[in-house]
Amino acid sequence: MKPGRPNLPGNATAPVVGERALIAGIRARLAPAPPWLLLGIGDDAAVVKPERGALEILTTDALVESIHFDRRFSSPEDIGWKSLAVNLSDIAAMPRLALLSLALPADISSAEVHALVDGFLALAVDARVTLAGGNVTRSPGPLMVDVTVSGFARARHVLTRGGARAGDDLYVTGSVGAGAAGLGWLRDGREAANGVELEGIKACVLRHRRPEPRVRVGALLGRNRAATACMDTSDGLADAARQIAQASGVGATIDAASLPIPSAAREYFRRAGHDPIGAALAGGDDYELLFAAPRRSRGRLATVVRQSRGVPITRIGQLTSERHLVIVRDGVPEPLPEGFVHF
Amino acid sequence: MKPGRPNLPGNATAPVVGERALIAGIRARLAPAPPWLLLGIGDDAAVVKPERGALEILTTDALVESIHFDRRFSSPEDIGWKSLAVNLSDIAAMPRLALLSLALPADISSAEVHALVDGFLALAVDARVTLAGGNVTRSPGPLMVDVTVSGFARARHVLTRGGARAGDDLYVTGSVGAGAAGLGWLRDGREAANGVELEGIKACVLRHRRPEPRVRVGALLGRNRAATACMDTSDGLADAARQIAQASGVGATIDAASLPIPSAAREYFRRAGHDPIGAALAGGDDYELLFAAPRRSRGRLATVVRQSRGVPITRIGQLTSERHLVIVRDGVPEPLPEGFVHF
């Protein structure tokens, strides 16, 4: 990890105050480096011993202020947590290390930056991910948090979007629509929530602020070879179903009644004038896993369910040889909505 | 590589127009994937076969508009090129793959984004780096280009900032001060350059726009075990000398007369009212390598010089057991200036 490039010469403003102090502070709070991390924060690059006999999985994703979060609704800790969560959600393998690249606006305090890093490290500890490097620079505009995660998997355990077959069942972890509804509840404020059960709203808000990436379930699905294809639902369940279907050369039918939409989320969508099913399908911001599994893998899947520490896994439909994307509501098939919808 | 997270629900603006089309366009222009890249652009994560018996080196760095570049002075191609160059400069090993994370402002056209990617890929082809994944999202403010590079090296060939010893000579590749002067010439315009040799100015401007990372020299230094410590000069030569000295527990003495400062750069600093030596030492934006080598390695260093295809390598000083940082001018020792200075 290192301070950013120098500013443009002639740029009137100073570099981020305390860049080096910030990095020293982060370094001081890290657990001792694992034996495979030969060189971590403090040099230009991290030096890592690859996991023997495994493939490396690499992913990168950024959170940008006012595109992906609003500092009025998410604390610095929330933002740090989520910046790692959205990456872990993409990896569907055992994550091992992360690189953290921060672009800091002038109005962010050093305490806020440390809080952001604390949120990042809280999830990193949970997920056994080591912060191995990164970069700190200034931003003339929004706060940006760009994270790269590296993990590993045996070749025969790698899960991709492709690989599903017609006849496979479609499953989703956790719930659908809570993240989008959570931000909606935050934005619309207390009055909009009159008469709705507070616990339900809180769960939605927590989902928006601190999504729990399904790292364990993803790794278990791979390790047990229980799924044929897998993708996270961060762009919405409808989009994930479309991507898996396209990459696998199949179609999909989803049963609306089976969708695990929390009641507080349904209520939010209803009050906002939206069809709850359509909004939940299109919503995104959930970071659940959508995966396909053939019937003959149900035994393996049962093993995954047993080991997944209470994360619900719900069968919501099936892949079909006809390459259409369909949602069945009250027995009536309709076209699946197009990905993400703004509401 | 994938489109970014969905926007905040309620965010009135649409996602980057053509995100998926953009990614498809990038994918179409890539060379066929090398055999070690099992899954590249198009899925959530890249899947890579590690280089057998080697360590992995990982680094990340971001370029932020109006902090690190100015779209009036750098073309989209320049920005794409430089975003990879600044990362390759940090790796001092054989780079293998890159992840490209883009945050795109509303006023950037699809043609400009493609041009940026073209600039990135031009250097990637030169440096034999494969674009293996990334992320595209919107920015409500500046254009941001965040790149992660992974490379590999044998354990005994890894070069870090630490490892230098008192008595080692200090060397720098290429030239010093050209990048900072290049931007200065760009900003001050034609009139400021009256009477200065145009070729010299052009070389400085090119250094700012399209720095040549010293990947080959870095890899040769490692492979030939010719250096004891190495760092790039992107934060300025003075800063790099300080970092190597601190990490190695030594001091350094630099001989001002030996510094390879191009005459056009000297002239820029002089006209701008700065001491050319001080400005060149503090300048940054050069992406050269500063490295330490003991006298007994001169034979190995000669091998590196022979194989480095004409990149100049200049001895500029020595590391000392006294932990001071000194610049000697006309026989008079002075304290080395503190890192980056804004002029």
Side-chain angles (χ1 to χ4, degrees), chain A residues 2 5 8-11 20 44 46 48 56 58 60-61 67 90 101 144 146 148 161 187 234 239 343, chain B residues 2 5 8-10 20 44 46 48 56 58 60-61 66-67 90 101 144 146 148 161 187 234 239 343:
Chain A
K2 55 192 182 302
R5 304 283 132 206
L8 288 179
N11 192 322
R20 288 189 200 273
D44 282 339
V48 169
E56 185 182 13
L58 285 155
T60 187
D61 209 344
I67 304 292
D90 275 331
S101 185
M144 303 242 224
D146 207 320
T148 297
R161 295 178 190 180
R187 187 180 304 102
S234 55
D239 178 75
F343 34 80
Chain B
K2 53 192 184 300
R5 306 281 132 208
L8 288 177
R20 287 186 201 276
D44 281 339
V48 170
E56 186 182 14
L58 285 155
T60 187
D61 209 343
S66 78
I67 303 291
D90 276 331
S101 185
M144 302 231 204
D146 207 321
T148 297
R161 295 179 190 179
R187 188 181 305 104
S234 56
D239 178 76
F343 34 80

Side-chain angles (χ1 to χ4, degrees), chain A residues 1-2 16 30 33 51 57 61 67 104 108 116 136 141 156 188 199 204 229 240 254 256 271 274 277 302 327:
Chain A
M1 188 167 231
K2 55 192 182 302
V16 174
L30 295 181
E51 176 77 11
I57 324 288
D61 209 344
I67 304 292
L104 304 174
I108 199 167
L116 187 156
V136 180
R156 63 206 183 97
D188 296 352
E199 287 310 305
C204 290
I254 291 174
R271 290 185 180 202
H274 299 290
I277 302 281
I327 173 105

Side-chain angles (χ1 to χ4, degrees), chain B:
Chain B
M1 188 168 232
K2 53 192 184 300
R5 306 281 132 208
N7 296 343
L8 288 177
N11 192 324
T13 45
V16 174
V17 177
E19 266 177 16
R20 287 186 201 276
L22 173 64
I23 292 170
I26 294 172
R27 205 173 171 182
R29 274 177 298 157
L30 295 181
W36 51 260
L37 182 62
L38 306 178
L39 194 64
I41 287 181
D43 215 290
D44 281 339
V47 180
V48 170
K49 210 168 160 181
E51 176 77 9
R52 217 173 148 171
L55 298 177
E56 186 182 14
I57 325 286
L58 285 155
T59 191
T60 187
D61 209 343
L63 293 187
V64 180
E65 181 176 356
S66 78
I67 303 291
H68 306 110
F69 62 86
D70 185 320
R71 279 202 267 163
R72 288 171 301 167
F73 304 139
S74 293
S75 71
E77 287 91 342
D78 293 337
I79 297 163
W81 171 287
K82 193 163 178 174
S83 70
L84 180 56
V86 300
N87 275 278
L88 296 180
S89 183
D90 276 331
I91 204 162
M94 285 308 294
R96 193 162 77 153
L97 69 85
L99 307 175
L100 173 61
S101 185
L102 295 169
L104 304 173
D107 70 345
I108 198 167
S109 71
S110 157
E112 284 170 312
V113 179
H114 279 292
L116 187 155
V117 173
D118 283 342
F120 180 96
L121 291 176
L123 178 55
V125 167
D126 274 13
R128 296 187 190 175
V129 170
T130 298
L131 178 59
N135 186 59
V136 181
T137 188
R138 288 194 318 126
S139 165
L143 168 62
M144 302 231 204
V145 189
D146 207 321
V147 174
T148 297
V149 167
S150 156
F152 56 86
R154 307 278 144 190
R156 63 206 182 98
H157 295 167
V158 172
L159 270 175
T160 68
R161 295 179 190 179
R165 296 206 180 158
D168 288 359
D169 288 319
L170 262 183
Y171 295 86
V172 72
T173 61
S175 69
V176 182
L183 180 62
W185 286 122
L186 279 170
R187 188 181 305 104
D188 296 352
R190 292 206 173 180
E191 290 188 12
N194 275 344
V196 184
E197 193 208 2
L198 193 61
E199 287 309 305
I201 295 178
K202 276 188 181 166
C204 289
V205 166
L206 190 64
R207 178 64 57 92
H208 167 70
R209 285 182 173 152
R210 300 221 182 183
E212 294 276 352
R214 304 303 187 187
V215 179
R216 189 177 164 80
V217 178
L220 285 168
L221 286 173
R223 208 183 300 144
N224 289 283
R225 305 179 72 183
T228 50
C230 184
M231 186 180 169
D232 85 333
T233 64
S234 56
D235 288 349
L237 180 58
D239 178 76
R242 185 165 274 114
Q243 299 299 328
I244 285 181
Q246 277 181 1
S248 303
V250 295
T253 299
I254 291 174
D255 172 22
S258 68
L259 292 173
I261 308 171
S263 60
R266 280 183 200 269
E267 185 57 27
Y268 175 76
F269 297 133
R270 236 179 256 123
R271 291 185 180 202
H274 298 292
D275 159 37
I277 303 281
L281 280 171
D285 209 22
D286 273 329
Y287 310 100
E288 301 291 353
L289 298 179
L290 180 73
F291 64 91
R295 300 215 157 194
R296 63 181 153 66
S297 293
R298 285 198 177 174
R300 293 175 183 179
L301 193 52
T303 306
V304 171
V305 171
R306 265 198 311 278
Q307 296 178 9
S308 62
R309 295 183 184 159
V311 176
I313 293 179
T314 309
R315 189 157 67 91
I316 60 163
Q318 208 172 27
L319 297 175
T320 57
S321 51
E322 275 205 66
R323 298 186 64 171
H324 301 304
L325 293 146
V326 172
I327 172 104
V328 179
R329 307 172 72 141
D330 303 323
V332 182
E334 296 170 13
L336 196 69
E338 282 288 333
F340 183 68
V341 171
H342 304 273
F343 34 80

Side-chain angles (χ1 to χ4, degrees), chain A residues 85-276:
Chain A
V86 300
N87 276 278
L88 295 180
S89 184
D90 275 331
I91 202 162
M94 285 308 293
R96 193 162 77 151
L97 68 86
L99 307 176
L100 172 61
S101 185
L102 295 169
L104 304 174
D107 70 344
I108 199 167
S109 71
S110 157
E112 285 171 312
V113 179
H114 279 292
L116 187 156
V117 173
D118 283 342
F120 180 97
L121 290 177
L123 178 55
V125 168
D126 274 13
R128 296 187 191 176
V129 170
T130 299
L131 177 59
N135 186 58
V136 180
T137 189
R138 289 194 317 127
S139 165
L143 169 62
M144 303 242 224
V145 189
D146 207 320
V147 174
T148 297
V149 167
S150 156
F152 56 86
R154 307 279 142 189
R156 63 206 183 97
H157 296 166
V158 171
L159 271 175
T160 68
R161 295 178 190 180
R165 297 204 179 160
D168 287 359
D169 289 318
L170 261 183
Y171 295 86
V172 72
T173 60
S175 68
V176 183
L183 179 62
W185 286 122
L186 279 171
R187 187 180 304 102
D188 296 352
R190 292 205 172 182
E191 289 189 11
N194 276 344
V196 183
E197 193 209 0
L198 193 60
E199 287 310 305
I201 295 177
K202 277 188 181 168
C204 290
V205 166
L206 190 63
R207 179 62 58 92
H208 167 70
R209 286 182 171 152
R210 301 221 181 183
E212 295 274 354
R214 303 304 188 186
V215 179
R216 189 178 164 82
V217 177
L220 285 168
L221 287 172
R223 206 182 301 145
N224 289 283
R225 305 178 72 180
T228 51
C230 184
M231 185 181 169
D232 86 332
T233 64
S234 55
D235 289 347
L237 179 58
D239 178 75
R242 184 166 276 112
Q243 298 300 329
I244 285 181
Q246 276 181 0
S248 303
V250 296
T253 298
I254 291 174
D255 173 23
S258 69
L259 292 172
I261 308 170
S263 59
R266 280 183 200 269
E267 186 56 28
Y268 175 76
F269 296 132
R270 236 179 257 123
R271 290 185 180 202
H274 299 290
D275 160 37

